[in-house]
Amino acid sequence: NPDIWFIGVDQDPCINAAGDVDPSFKDCSGVIATLLPKYIALNYQEDQAGYLAGIVAASASKSGIIGAVGGVAVCGPCVRYIQGYYLGAQSVNPNIKRDSAWVSASDFTKGFFDQPGGATFGAQFIKQHPGIDVVFQVAGNTGNGVIDAACAAGISAIGVDVDQYQSYPASQKCILTSAEKHLTVTVAASIQGISDGTAKGGKVIFNAANDGVGVAAFY
């Protein structure tokens, strides 16, 4: 469909010189902007949003012990979120203790689509790290289960990608904030560019400098 614009959120496809997707990521020699001129791939600097969330976590922590749970260890954005989170926390308290765990090494169903499993994993994680009082989760629907575990344990949670106070109402009794990708801002900007004829295909990076990431309101 060469005459239709496509916008991909959180997508950085690997394409070969012929413009075909290589799911094995072995041949990524193709240039999206050249071979797919009407495909806009929106990417985000998750480490910056995580950094801001880490500042909130360290500022809110009374014990000086915070944690993070990621869905799948091979998820690049998840790693960046958590790395930024810990660096942000250290900027507030250089001596803060940081505990982290991954739900799975590579099972995306278990890592992102299993809320009951996330609740069990989160409860075990909290129990195994006494004193932890803030948990950041980067695990999709599984992460909602981690939030449930945090609320049940009477500690604080931090959401991810969107304002989870709004998107997951069950979190409202314990959520502090969420590390956000400003999806409305970034997708709207892409649509506006298509409408006024200024849009260009290719990979587009959004970060704090262009209002592409941030943190939700504090609760």
Side-chain angles (χ1 to χ4, degrees), residues 80-105:
R80 291 192 291 273
Y81 263 131
I82 293 174
Q83 287 178 336
Y85 171 70
Y86 285 145
L87 290 172
Q90 284 183 304
S91 75
V92 174
N93 177 5
N95 298 313
I96 198 160
K97 184 178 178 182
R98 302 159 297 159
D99 296 310
S100 60
W102 297 93
V103 176
S104 173

Side-chain angles (χ1 to χ4, degrees), residues 68-181:
V69 173
V72 175
V74 295
C75 166
C78 303
V79 173
R80 291 192 291 273
Y81 263 131
I82 293 174
Q83 287 178 336
Y85 171 70
Y86 285 145
L87 290 172
Q90 284 183 304
S91 75
V92 174
N93 177 5
N95 298 313
I96 198 160
K97 184 178 178 182
R98 302 159 297 159
D99 296 310
S100 60
W102 297 93
V103 176
S104 173
S106 58
D107 186 334
F108 280 74
T109 298
K110 184 176 180 181
F112 295 107
F113 301 100
D114 183 6
Q115 184 166 345
T120 299
F121 188 93
Q124 292 173 342
F125 175 76
I126 293 166
K127 185 177 181 180
Q128 290 168 356
H129 300 92
I132 197 168
D133 60 359
V134 182
V135 176
F136 177 39
Q137 56 74 34
V138 188
N141 196 44
T142 300
N144 289 349
V146 176
I147 292 176
D148 294 339
C151 290
I155 66 174
S156 297
I158 293 179
V160 72
D161 283 343
V162 298
D163 184 353
Q164 289 201 265
Y165 184 92
Q166 303 295 337
S167 69
Y168 184 54
S171 73
Q172 294 180 2
K173 61 182 178 181
C174 73
I175 200 164
L176 289 174
T177 187
S178 297
E180 282 191 309
K181 296 176 181 178

